[in-house]
Amino acid sequence: QVQLVESGGGLVQAGGSLRLSCAASGDTICISDMGWYRQAPGEERELVARSTSGGMPDYADSVKGRFTISGDNASNTVYLQMNTLKPEETADYYCNARLGTVQTMCRVGGRNYYGVTFWGKGTPVTVSS
């Protein structure tokens, strides 16, 4: 398993910026990709950004050009730079990690992973008008 701890959320005015961080620990060698999701009250959790096997990240259409996902393999940390934030983007932001893939198993410490995912507890982001 992996443990994911998000940080960097808070209150920001519309048009402002925040950088979220997600630190991973545990079986990090098996992480195949990581991403960011958000969930507002009464809404479904939705993809914001995540890495892909091809190396090009996926972004929600609504954040393209404003958000950037990046990572630091040395520290097992993934970041989400959010610029020009909008009030409707107020939500809890969650870090997600996938270990192994459906096609490729990852084995470490006697544990096998075939695309199992883990979630952080989330960090709140509030964008005021």
Side-chain angles (χ1 to χ4, degrees), residues 52-110:
T52 64
S53 298
M56 299 299 294
D58 285 333
Y59 294 97
D61 288 342
S62 62
V63 309
K64 288 181 179 177
R66 297 186 297 114
F67 290 12
T68 303
I69 187 171
S70 62
D72 180 3
N73 290 332
S75 61
N76 296 311
T77 303
V78 65
Y79 304 95
L80 182 68
Q81 178 67 45
M82 305 185 295
N83 297 327
T84 320
L85 282 160
K86 304 175 181 179
E88 58 264 37
E89 292 173 321
T90 293
D92 289 331
Y93 283 70
Y94 296 88
C95 180
N96 173 269
R98 182 173 63 159
L99 276 60
T101 67
V102 174
Q103 297 177 332
T104 304
M105 180 268 289
C106 182
R107 177 180 174 85
V108 59

Side-chain angles (χ1 to χ4, degrees), residues 2 50 83:
V2 295
R50 78 176 301 122
N83 297 327

Side-chain angles (χ1 to χ4, degrees), residues 2-83:
V2 295
Q3 296 77 47
L4 305 173
V5 180
E6 303 99 332
S7 62
L11 174 65
V12 64
Q13 292 184 335
S17 299
L18 284 175
R19 189 182 72 162
L20 306 182
S21 299
C22 174
S25 61
D27 294 334
T28 58
I29 193 173
C30 280
I31 294 177
S32 58
D33 59 88
M34 298 181 68
W36 289 93
Y37 296 73
R38 65 189 177 194
Q39 186 170 23
E43 302 291 335
E44 298 285 341
R45 188 170 299 184
E46 66 174 350
L47 168 71
V48 178
R50 78 176 301 122
S51 62
T52 64
S53 298
M56 299 299 294
D58 285 333
Y59 294 97
D61 288 342
S62 62
V63 309
K64 288 181 179 177
R66 297 186 297 114
F67 290 12
T68 303
I69 187 171
S70 62
D72 180 3
N73 290 332
S75 61
N76 296 311
T77 303
V78 65
Y79 304 95
L80 182 68
Q81 178 67 45
M82 305 185 295
N83 297 327

